Amino acid sequence: MQKKFLSVAICLLAALTMTAQDVDKATVTGNADAAAKAGADLQKLENAEKAWKFDGTVGLNAAATGLVNWAAGGKNNVNGIVYAKLHLLYHKDAIAWETNFDTDFGMTWIDQKEDAFQKSSDNIKLATKFGWEFKESWYLTVLGSFQSQYALGRNYVDGYNDIISKWLAPSYTDISVGIDWKKSYKGADFSIYLSPIAGRITSAYIGENWNRRYTRENALGALQYNIDHAADAVTKAASQAAYDAAAKVYDNMGGYEAAQAAGTDIRTQLQQSYGTYVYDASGNKSYRNARAEFGLSFKGGIAYTYKDLKLSTTLALFSPYQGKGFSLKDLYEADYGAGSWEARDKNAYYFDYSNNNRYFGHFDVDWDCALSYQFLKCLQVTLQTSLKYYNGTLIADKEGNLSERCQFKGVIGLGVGYSF
């Protein structure tokens, strides 16, 4: 009996041992499979994170000047600029998608009664390009970009300040297809883009209600200025009476319609300044909210990072595929005689340069540079420059003479900034 019991016990023990071994093997195998799957998922996540790259700089630069009994002269002032330069890149296998957003806005306060607050900087730039790498470092690319500003721009002079720009007036929208070359070398990223198939839309969009409102303000601006800067109550009352009388005449006699007919409304003036117009064969002008052109585009860029120092520069060129326009000089002298072109009222002819100069071989230029150095983790020194030259964009000099001119802006500042 004892032998039978012992035999049965040994058999049960053997069976349990074999079952336990099978269970352990299944558990180990299952754990190994789960670990392998988890490792694969983690690798996929790491690869996805490596495919995306997001970096940039955001900050606030401020400067203040205080003067007390300063013999050399000057005025107390405070200047502040908020800025952001953001870069997003997706690069996996043969696909590359890159987006850049650069923006800034600045105001200046000057210790003076007239125009104490003035806009000092206002800029929006958004560009994105999608490319397919058909050969190492070479991409077939579609590019889109947009430039404009946030707030009204005014010409700060003595007296009333005329409006010279606004949101979408001007704005520049580019769409193109071309070849992009990209290369990284010793911490520097290089990019060269060439497109023979490029479109540019230049806008000076002004809605009817907006145009009506600010044309009225422009017409009565000098009188409103007298009210705002009256030296005493008597002068202010007299200025108010003059304003009310002029406003009544303006409203009752169709001042807005008269300004449109004379070409002095804000819409016409801005569309003149930014060249959104067409000519007919006789040289007559008609204005539009936008001008579309087809041409050649080139863009080049360098971005370099060394420890806490960042340098970036971009150059963009555009030239339209069109022949040289007819000569306004010939048309003018045909009506008024030889030599009359040089003696004309230059301000009455906004387009004496633009029509002749906006043809293939004459390039619009945008060249931007930014240098920043970060120290003590949150303090940052920045230097930003911007150079522009647009054929057809006319700018007045100190004497009021209009012409195409090179535009330049430089900003250096010390402030709170963060790079990532």
Side-chain angles (χ1 to χ4, degrees), residues 29-62:
T29 302
N31 290 341
D33 292 341
K37 186 177 182 302
D41 292 342
L42 181 60
Q43 186 63 42
K44 289 181 180 180
L45 182 60
E46 290 177 350
N47 291 339
E49 291 178 347
K50 290 179 181 178
W52 288 96
K53 178 184 177 183
F54 180 55
D55 58 77
T57 302
V58 295
L60 168 65
N61 286 338

Side-chain angles (χ1 to χ4, degrees), residues 53 157 286:
K53 178 184 177 183
V157 295
S286 61

Side-chain angles (χ1 to χ4, degrees), residues 11-173:
C11 290
L12 290 174
L13 181 61
L16 290 172
T17 302
M18 293 176 66
T19 303
Q21 289 177 348
D22 292 339
V23 171
D24 290 341
K25 290 179 180 178
T27 302
V28 171
T29 302
N31 290 341
D33 292 341
K37 186 177 182 302
D41 292 342
L42 181 60
Q43 186 63 42
K44 289 181 180 180
L45 182 60
E46 290 177 350
N47 291 339
E49 291 178 347
K50 290 179 181 178
W52 288 96
K53 178 184 177 183
F54 180 55
D55 58 77
T57 302
V58 295
L60 168 65
N61 286 338
T65 301
L67 304 173
V68 178
N69 300 326
W70 194 253
K75 295 181 178 180
N76 300 330
N77 64 84
V78 178
N79 180 57
I81 298 177
V82 179
Y83 64 91
K85 301 178 76 67
L86 307 178
H87 173 247
L88 177 64
L89 173 65
Y90 173 82
H91 191 184
K92 184 178 181 181
D93 300 329
I95 301 300
W97 180 25
E98 184 176 8
T99 301
N100 290 283
F101 179 62
D102 294 349
T103 186
D104 59 69
F105 187 82
M107 291 292 294
T108 297
W109 173 80
I110 305 173
D111 188 10
Q112 59 186 27
K113 292 183 178 180
E114 182 177 345
D115 301 325
F117 288 94
Q118 301 182 12
K119 185 175 71 170
S120 60
S121 184
D122 189 357
N123 180 53
I124 305 170
K125 286 186 178 180
L126 175 64
T128 186
K129 56 184 178 181
F130 183 86
W132 170 68
E133 188 176 21
F134 61 90
K135 187 178 180 181
E136 185 179 357
S137 300
W138 293 89
Y139 295 81
L140 178 62
T141 299
V142 178
L143 182 146
S145 65
F146 172 79
Q147 299 181 50
S148 190
Q149 64 187 58
Y150 294 103
L152 284 178
R154 293 181 179 272
N155 184 27
Y156 294 108
V157 295
D158 293 337
Y160 174 72
N161 300 317
D162 293 328
I163 296 171
I164 57 176
S165 63
K166 64 178 286 287
W167 162 250
L168 296 183
S171 74
Y172 304 93
T173 304

Side-chain angles (χ1 to χ4, degrees), residues 299-419:
K299 296 180 185 292
I302 301 174
Y304 176 71
T305 301
Y306 178 74
K307 295 183 179 179
D308 294 325
L309 179 69
K310 286 190 174 185
L311 169 66
S312 65
T313 181
T314 58
L315 173 66
L317 306 175
F318 176 83
S319 182
Y321 290 139
Q322 65 184 42
K324 187 173 182 178
F326 54 79
S327 172
L328 290 179
K329 177 180 178 181
D330 295 340
L331 292 173
Y332 193 89
E333 292 191 345
D335 293 335
Y336 300 103
S340 58
W341 178 254
E342 283 73 19
R344 76 196 185 286
D345 178 6
K346 293 182 176 60
N347 289 342
Y349 274 73
Y350 277 74
F351 305 103
D352 45 356
Y353 298 92
S354 58
N355 186 66
N356 289 324
N357 283 359
R358 193 153 196 86
Y359 61 91
F360 185 69
H362 283 199
F363 286 88
D364 293 345
V365 180
D366 281 281
W367 183 20
D368 296 318
C369 297
L371 177 67
S372 66
Y373 180 76
Q374 188 162 335
F375 59 99
L376 299 180
K377 294 184 179 181
C378 62
L379 296 180
Q380 194 171 74
V381 178
T382 60
L383 171 63
Q384 300 180 55
T385 64
S386 182
L387 184 147
K388 300 177 182 292
Y389 182 86
Y390 293 159
N391 293 286
T393 298
L394 305 179
I395 302 171
D397 60 13
K398 293 181 179 180
E399 286 72 35
N401 297 317
L402 290 161
S403 177
E404 295 161 325
R405 304 181 191 279
C406 183
Q407 308 170 54
F408 181 80
K409 179 179 72 173
V411 179
I412 185 169
L414 170 65
V416 178
Y418 176 68
S419 295

Side-chain angles (χ1 to χ4, degrees), residues 219-228 239 242-243 246-247:
L220 304 173
L223 297 174
Q224 182 63 55
Y225 174 86
N226 292 336
I227 296 173
D228 296 337
S239 299
Y243 176 90

